[in-house]
Amino acid sequence: MTATPGLRTCQIASPDLLRSTFRRHAAGVAVITARGDSGPVGFTATSLTSVSADPPLVSFGIGTGASSWPAMAEADHVGVHVLGEHQRELAATFARSGADRFGAPTAWREGPEGVPVLDGVLAWLVCRIVGRVPAGDHRIVLAEVVLGDPSGSGRPLLYHQGRFNGLRD
């Protein structure tokens, strides 16, 4: 069954309407990392977007109440990691408040510009932050790609209906 353009079930704009609508939208899963004053920080993002090919720019959203926001607000560079379907637990760890995100079993190393780079991902980028745009209770971060590696193998991890899922054929 699909939604039809009728007015019987429409709702006034609200945070719940937006959340309910986007639970139906399958999104790729990424982890964004940065070097913070007290060590590495990171979070799971489903808002990663390719913005421009020339220059190569990406964007992602982060809530200003997120534990990673203070470091992201000050960072010059970030790591962007596209997760594979074999990384559901990693995605959950970086999404969980209060989790030891860089402790075992997370495998990572310090990469270019001091950015934490996660192991075993489908692709990763190191990006220079070029802008932080206020957007309600979030900031949209614009970042220019400096370097990366798209050679990981596997299928992408998706987020849909509040769960991490793999693709189905």
Side-chain angles (χ1 to χ4, degrees):
M1 178 179 268
T2 60
T4 56
L7 298 177
R8 294 173 307 200
T9 59
C10 69
Q11 300 175 26
I12 300 292
S14 70
D16 284 340
L17 173 61
L18 188 68
R19 284 187 202 100
S20 295
T21 299
F22 275 86
R23 275 189 203 107
R24 295 176 180 274
H25 173 71
V29 181
V31 168
I32 311 297
T33 61
R35 180 177 56 196
D37 290 339
S38 302
V41 299
F43 65 98
T44 299
T46 56
S47 60
L48 179 63
T49 304
S50 170
V51 175
S52 168
D54 189 16
L57 294 172
V58 299
S59 71
F60 58 87
I62 179 172
T64 56
S67 62
S68 297
W69 170 243
M72 293 290 168
E74 298 297 323
D76 293 325
H77 291 84
V78 293
V80 175
H81 306 84
V82 177
L83 300 190
E85 62 186 3
H86 62 286
Q87 296 178 304
R88 289 181 177 134
E89 272 307 307
L90 183 67
T93 297
F94 276 83
R96 198 169 26 255
S97 182
D100 181 4
R101 296 173 177 155
F102 291 90
T106 301
W108 66 282
R109 65 194 178 285
E110 185 174 310
E113 303 295 339
V115 170
V117 175
L118 302 175
D119 292 343
V121 296
L122 299 186
W124 61 267
L125 301 168
V126 170
C127 303
R128 182 179 59 84
I129 295 178
V130 296
R132 295 173 183 88
V133 181
D137 61 358
H138 278 61
R139 294 296 179 268
I140 305 303
V141 177
L142 292 168
E144 184 174 8
V145 176
V146 174
L147 56 90
D149 182 355
S151 66
S153 62
R155 293 161 54 109
L157 183 63
L158 300 178
Y159 188 72
H160 180 251
Q161 293 287 51
R163 296 182 25 230
F164 297 113
N165 298 287
L167 287 175
R168 288 187 228 160
D169 290 327

